[in-house]
Amino acid sequence: MITFRLSNGVYAYVAYLVLMVYFLWPGRFASWYDYIEGENIYDQLIRKTTKNISLMRNGLRCDYSEVIEENLSIYRPPYTEDIINNNVRLGGEYYPEDCLPSFSTAIIVPYRQRERQLNQFLIYMHNYLRRQRIHYRIFVIEQYDPKPFNRAKLFNIGALIAMRLDYPCLVLHDVDLMPMNLGHLYACSRKPRHMCSSLDVFRYNLPYRELFGGVVAIESSVFLNINGMSNMFSGWGGEDDDLYRRLQNKQIEICRFSPSYSQYTMLQHRKETPNKDRVAFLKNGKLRYNTDGLKSLVYKEVDFKLHNLFTHVLVET
Amino acid sequence: MRSHYSEADFYDYDPRTDIDPLCCCEFFDRNNERSHLLVKWCCCFCQSASAAESNTSCKLNEKTVRSMLLTFQDRLRIPWRGGAKQITLDVVITLVILIATLLMAAINYQFCLIVFSLMLLALLYVKHYSALSHTKTKFFLVWFFGSCVYLLVLFELTVPLLEILFVENAVLVLLMTLGFYCLMKAKLRATKGDLAGLLDVNGQLDKVPKDTQVIMFSDRDDSDDGSTDADVGLRLTCQLCRKYVPPRTYHCKVCSACVVRQDHHNVWLNCCIGKSNHRFYLAGCCFTLMALVVFANLSLTAVCRPTPIFTLYGITVMMPEDCNDIFFQYDIALCFTGSLYALMMAAFITIALAKQFWFITIGISYDEWRRGDHVKRRNVFWNWKAFCLGQ
C-alpha cells in the first residue's frame, strides 16, 4: 500500500521536475552581458582623427566628459523633426569650429528604397552627432541593381571609400536604427563595439551574446585585418554572425556600453524575407575568411554625389 | 451534458484492494467484463461482419449499429494507472472548440473581433443555461484549465523568448504553479465540505454513539452563531438530505449535498465553494489573475513595440506602445490574440474577486445575500479576521 502511494507521488514529481527544467532552461531567454559603465566610456575610446583635422591648430581640444556624464535622451521633437541651425558641410561632413575634435568617424549606411527612413535618419543623426562635437561624415551606399540586397558588400564598399579618405573609425549603421541617448559617442573603442545592444523591438534586451548586428563601431585597421565582411550573403540574415566569427577567428573580442547608453529605437518597416542559404554560408565561412571579403570585392561605381546632408555612392554589385 | 453511463460515476474501483489489478490498458466495459484496449477490436468487426452476412437484406440493422457506436464510445480511452480512463465526448468537444477558436482568431483583425465576441456571448449563454437547469457539467472546468494550458504552451513555444529575461519567465511559471495548486486544492477539499456523515433525521438520540455526539457538539462551538442556540433541542434540518445540519449550511442542488457555509457553486471548478475551500479558492484566483496579467504583458511587449515604464529590482517593466502590423505574421498574431484572451480571462477573474472581497468585507456569503437571509454581522476587521482564521 505504501509502495503504491510513493510511486504515484514519484511519477508526479518527476513529470513536474522535467517540465520545470524545460520551462526554466536559461538558454531559451535573453542573455545578461558584460558592459562598460558610463564612467569608463571615455577611457575606452581611441582618440584619432583624419589628417586634415589633425593639422588644424585651434588650440582648445573639445571636452566630451559633460556629454557622457549627462547622457541626455534626445529622441524627441524638435531633434527628430528638422535640422537645427544647419551648418553641415557638403557631403554630410561636420566638425566643430570652436574646438579641436578628438574623433573622426565615417558612418556607413547601406541603402536601397528606404526614402522615408533615410530622411528621418539624416535629420536626427545630424542633430544628434553635432551635439557630440565629433568630426564625422555620413556615407550612404546605395545598391543600384535589382539583385537581392547585399548589406555586407555595401559595408565593404563604404569602408574602402572611407579608408581612402583616411578615416580611422568606421560605424556600420543600419538606416532604420536611431540612438536615443546622447552619451553614446560615435567613436571607436579599443575593441569593436556593438552599439545597439538595448534595442526597443527586443524589449531592450540582448537576445544572444553573439548578436553583432545593427550598429557596429570598428577601427579601419581592424576591419582590414579581418578582410572586411563576406560578400556572399545576399538577402536578409547571417552576415552579422559571420562578421562576429571573423573577429573570433582573429581572437578579437567585442565590447558593449551600458544599457542606459545603448538604447536604440527601430523605425517601422515591413520585415524582409530571410536568406535560406545563410546557415550553410555560416557553417563553411571559416574556409573563406582570407579569400572572401575586401580582397575579393568587385563592384562598379555608378555615381558619386555630394549631397547637402550625405555623401551618396551608387554602386552595382 | 451528462455521460451515458451514470453508473460509471459511482464506480469506485481501487487497484490497491484488487487481487488482480488492471494494467494500464485494461478496463471494465459496459457489461462489467474485463477488456483490453487492443484485444477484441477484431472480434468487434467479426461480430459485425457475421451479423451483416446473416441478414438477408444485406444491411446492418439498427441495433447492431447502435451497439457498435456504444462500444466505440466505451473504447475511447487513454491508458492510465489502474485501468484505462474514459475520455467523455463533452471533454473532447470542448477542447477542440477552444483550440480551433483561438487559432481562428489569429487570422486577421476582423476574425479576431468576431471570434472573441461570439465566444463571450456563447460562454455567457451556456453559463446561464446551466445555472437554470442545475446540471453538473465538466464543460467549464475543461474550458478553464484547457485555456491555461494553451496559454502556457503558447508562451513557451511561440512567444519570442529570446527577448524575455529568465527572471521574468520564472515569475510567470511560479505564479501559474501557485494558482494551479491552490485551485486544485480548493477542488479536492470541496468533497470534504459535504455533510454525508451527519445524523439522520429518523435516527434516535439513544442509538447515536458518543463519537458522533462529540462531533456535533464541537461543530456548534465552531460556529460564530453558536451562542444564539440557547435551546439545546433546536436543530436545523435539510429536507432534501434528511439530515441535521449546522448553522449557515446550505443545500446545493447541483452537487446534491449540503455544504457548510456555502458561498456559491463555482461552475469553473465544478464544485461548491464553502468553508473548507474558500481561502484556497480566493488565493487561487489571485495567483491566476497575476499570472494572466504577467503573461499578457510579456507577450504584448515581445510582439509589439514596448515603452519602458519603470525599473523594479533591475527588471524593467514595459507597456506595449505600437501594435500595428501585428497580423502580418501568423505566429506573432497568435501571441497577440493569446494575450487578448488572457486579458479577457483576467477581467472575468477581477470581477469575481471584487465580489468575493465585498461579501467577505460585509461578512455574509453570496448565497446568503442572494436569499436575503439574516446573518449576524460585525465590523469589517472582525469579518476579515474570521475569514482568514477559518472560523
Side-chain angles (χ1 to χ4, degrees):
Chain A
M1 191 174 293
I2 293 172
T3 307
F4 275 112
R5 289 175 185 170
L6 182 64
S7 60
N8 197 21
V10 166
Y11 289 155
Y13 284 136
V14 167
Y16 179 73
L17 281 179
V18 169
L19 273 182
M20 285 299 109
V21 166
Y22 175 74
F23 285 160
L24 301 174
W25 190 257
R28 303 170 64 233
F29 306 104
S31 306
W32 299 102
Y33 55 94
D34 299 326
Y35 52 80
I36 298 168
E37 293 285 353
E39 56 263 22
N40 301 324
I41 281 177
Y42 189 70
D43 300 329
Q44 289 288 321
L45 299 176
I46 294 174
R47 289 176 284 276
K48 198 185 285 184
T49 53
T50 54
K51 286 194 183 71
N52 56 322
I53 299 294
S54 301
L55 290 175
M56 290 179 181
R57 301 182 189 274
N58 284 358
L60 285 176
R61 191 163 287 271
C62 295
D63 181 31
Y64 299 96
S65 55
E66 187 175 318
V67 169
I68 297 174
E69 191 174 299
E70 287 181 4
N71 195 29
L72 295 173
S73 178
I74 65 165
Y75 187 69
R76 54 184 166 78
Y79 302 101
T80 56
E81 288 172 351
D82 205 359
I83 299 280
I84 300 169
N85 190 21
N86 189 358
N87 53 357
V88 180
R89 292 161 183 268
L90 199 65
E93 188 179 7
Y94 170 83
Y95 52 85
E97 292 176 348
D98 53 329
C99 60
L100 199 63
S102 301
F103 312 104
S104 287
T105 303
I107 295 157
I108 301 163
V109 181
Y111 171 77
R112 185 167 72 175
Q113 293 165 5
R114 290 269 179 96
E115 290 86 3
R116 195 170 62 85
Q117 279 91 8
L118 182 64
N119 193 53
Q120 285 181 255
F121 175 83
L122 291 169
I123 288 171
Y124 179 71
M125 291 307 290
H126 281 299
N127 288 333
Y128 176 91
L129 292 167
R130 282 182 297 162
R131 288 196 61 154
Q132 289 191 340
R133 308 180 70 74
I134 62 172
H135 169 224
Y136 68 88
R137 183 170 178 176
I138 297 181
F139 296 85
V140 173
I141 319 298
E142 179 169 3
Q143 186 172 337
Y144 199 66
D145 57 28
K147 291 180 195 173
F149 191 66
N150 195 331
R151 179 173 170 270
K153 194 165 189 180
L154 299 182
F155 277 141
N156 282 342
I157 296 163
L160 273 188
I161 293 170
M163 285 188 279
R164 206 181 294 150
L165 294 169
D166 189 43
Y167 278 91
C169 175
L170 311 170
V171 170
L172 314 177
H173 209 299
D174 278 351
V175 72
D176 55 352
L177 293 177
M178 318 261 251
M180 298 173 85
N181 300 315
L182 196 64
H184 201 138
L185 287 186
Y186 266 54
C188 284
S189 39
R190 295 181 191 170
K191 303 169 183 173
R193 187 166 85 255
H194 183 217
M195 296 175 74
C196 62
S197 56
S198 194
L199 190 57
D200 64 349
V201 294
F202 291 154
R203 297 180 78 250
Y204 301 102
N205 293 324
L206 189 70
Y208 50 100
R209 279 195 204 90
E210 297 80 29
L211 181 63
F212 201 58
V215 186
V216 167
I218 186 168
E219 280 185 279
S220 300
S221 55
V222 175
F223 201 72
L224 267 175
N225 187 14
I226 63 172
N227 194 20
M229 294 176 81
S230 171
N231 298 313
M232 293 180 62
F233 286 85
S234 296
W236 183 89
E239 77 277 359
D240 298 339
D241 297 317
D242 184 81
L243 173 62
Y244 179 79
R245 293 184 187 193
R246 284 168 180 245
L247 293 167
Q248 297 289 293
N249 189 48
K250 296 280 185 176
Q251 278 91 48
I252 299 171
E253 291 180 4
I254 66 168
C255 69
R256 294 181 172 97
F257 284 173
S258 167
S260 57
Y261 286 80
S262 305
Q263 286 187 354
Y264 272 69
T265 183
M266 183 184 277
L267 300 177
Q268 280 189 62
H269 57 80
R270 283 295 167 94
K271 294 184 178 172
E272 306 289 339
T273 308
N275 177 13
K276 295 186 178 64
D277 299 323
R278 66 191 192 278
V279 177
F281 284 155
L282 273 173
K283 281 181 179 174
N284 59 44
K286 195 180 181 67
L287 307 172
R288 296 179 281 98
Y289 288 159
N290 293 317
T291 57
D292 177 25
L294 283 177
K295 294 172 184 173
S296 66
L297 186 59
V298 174
Y299 70 98
K300 179 187 172 188
E301 188 174 299
V302 175
D303 207 345
F304 189 99
K305 298 178 191 172
L306 298 182
H307 288 295
N308 284 335
L309 296 181
F310 62 101
T311 302
H312 196 183
V313 186
L314 288 91
V315 297
E316 285 182 0
T317 59
Chain B
M1 185 195 302
R2 188 173 284 272
S3 176
H4 279 281
Y5 313 106
S6 56
E7 299 171 6
D9 295 340
F10 307 105
Y11 182 78
D12 54 350
Y13 171 77
D14 193 348
R16 289 168 288 184
T17 58
D18 195 351
I19 300 170
D20 184 10
L22 297 173
C23 71
C24 64
C25 285
E26 286 183 323
F27 64 99
F28 286 108
D29 60 6
R30 41 195 186 89
N31 299 321
N32 269 334
E33 294 171 3
R34 196 179 178 122
S35 297
H36 199 279
L37 283 178
L38 303 178
V39 184
K40 271 197 174 182
W41 189 255
C42 304
C43 297
C44 188
F45 279 115
C46 293
Q47 188 175 354
S48 308
S50 60
E53 286 173 4
S54 63
N55 200 330
T56 53
S57 63
C58 293
K59 289 182 180 177
L60 295 173
N61 56 38
E62 193 172 333
K63 188 175 179 181
T64 308
V65 170
R66 193 185 302 114
S67 176
M68 285 174 65
L69 288 177
L70 288 174
T71 306
F72 176 76
Q73 183 172 338
D74 195 30
R75 287 176 179 274
L76 192 68
R77 291 169 180 265
I78 52 174
W80 201 261
R81 192 180 162 73
K85 197 176 273 266
Q86 185 170 21
I87 307 168
T88 53
L89 278 181
D90 51 349
V91 170
V92 174
I93 289 170
T94 306
L95 287 177
V96 167
I97 290 173
L98 170 68
I99 293 173
T101 305
L102 289 173
L103 293 183
M104 209 185 304
I107 293 173
N108 58 26
Y109 184 64
Q110 287 80 29
F111 264 82
C112 182
L113 282 184
I114 292 167
V115 164
F116 279 149
S117 303
L118 290 182
M119 179 200 280
L120 205 61
L121 293 176
L123 283 177
L124 289 175
Y125 173 75
V126 175
K127 191 169 189 289
H128 185 250
Y129 173 79
S130 66
L132 287 182
S133 60
H134 297 296
T135 47
K136 189 163 192 177
T137 173
K138 285 185 177 177
F139 173 80
F140 290 98
L141 180 69
V142 173
W143 186 277
F144 175 72
F145 281 102
S147 299
C148 290
V149 171
Y150 171 83
L151 292 178
L152 189 61
V153 169
L154 180 74
F155 186 80
E156 297 295 338
L157 295 186
T158 309
V159 169
L161 290 171
L162 287 176
E163 305 180 5
I164 286 162
L165 295 170
F166 170 84
V167 179
E168 291 164 336
N169 178 73
V171 166
L172 176 67
V173 169
L174 178 69
L175 287 174
M176 212 154 238
T177 302
L178 287 172
F180 181 78
Y181 173 79
C182 288
L183 292 177
M184 192 69 106
K185 202 78 163 143
K187 185 163 172 55
L188 289 177
R189 286 169 73 104
T191 53
K192 293 183 184 177
D194 293 348
L195 301 177
L198 280 188
L199 184 61
D200 198 84
V201 169
N202 297 327
Q204 298 298 322
L205 187 61
D206 297 335
K207 299 177 184 177
V208 173
K210 287 187 177 180
D211 293 336
T212 307
Q213 215 162 3
V214 171
I215 288 168
M216 289 293 297
F217 183 75
S218 62
D219 278 349
R220 198 179 298 118
D221 271 10
D222 284 342
S223 175
D224 58 341
D225 293 333
S227 57
T228 61
D229 291 336
D231 192 357
V232 179
L234 179 63
R235 289 185 177 178
L236 302 175
T237 308
C238 178
Q239 299 184 10
L240 293 166
C241 295
R242 302 184 60 80
K243 288 168 181 171
Y244 292 116
V245 296
R248 300 190 70 185
T249 300
Y250 304 101
H251 183 86
C252 177
K253 294 176 184 175
V254 183
C255 297
S256 302
C258 284
V259 182
V260 184
R261 203 177 303 177
Q262 191 214 26
D263 186 78
H264 65 287
H265 179 86
N266 192 279
V267 292
W268 298 102
L269 296 181
N270 202 24
C271 67
C272 273
I273 304 299
K275 182 178 175 179
S276 58
N277 60 353
H278 202 174
R279 283 166 293 162
F280 274 111
Y281 168 73
L282 208 67
C285 283
C286 289
F287 285 128
T288 305
L289 172 61
M290 285 190 278
L292 290 169
V293 169
V294 168
F295 167 87
N297 179 269
L298 292 180
S299 293
L300 285 175
T301 52
V303 301
C304 306
R305 181 183 301 267
T307 181
I309 302 297
F310 59 89
T311 302
L312 190 70
Y313 300 112
I315 305 292
T316 305
V317 179
M318 305 175 208
M319 290 295 283
E321 186 182 38
D322 180 11
C323 290
N324 288 325
D325 289 339
I326 212 69
F327 292 97
F328 182 76
Q329 207 169 318
Y330 186 70
D331 54 344
I332 300 294
L334 268 183
C335 301
F336 181 74
T337 52
S339 304
L340 290 190
Y341 185 63
L343 288 176
M344 282 167 57
M345 289 173 70
F348 271 100
I349 293 178
T350 302
I351 292 168
L353 273 176
K355 280 163 60 178
Q356 290 290 311
F357 278 39
W358 170 250
F359 285 126
I360 291 166
T361 302
I362 63 177
I364 60 175
S365 67
Y366 176 70
D367 267 358
E368 287 166 351
W369 171 79
R370 197 174 52 177
R371 296 163 198 250
D373 288 0
H374 173 72
V375 176
K376 190 174 181 181
R377 301 187 294 184
R378 307 192 190 191
N379 57 53
V380 171
F381 179 75
W382 199 95
N383 290 337
W384 271 100
K385 177 168 165 279
F387 172 78
C388 292
L389 295 179
Q391 294 174 355

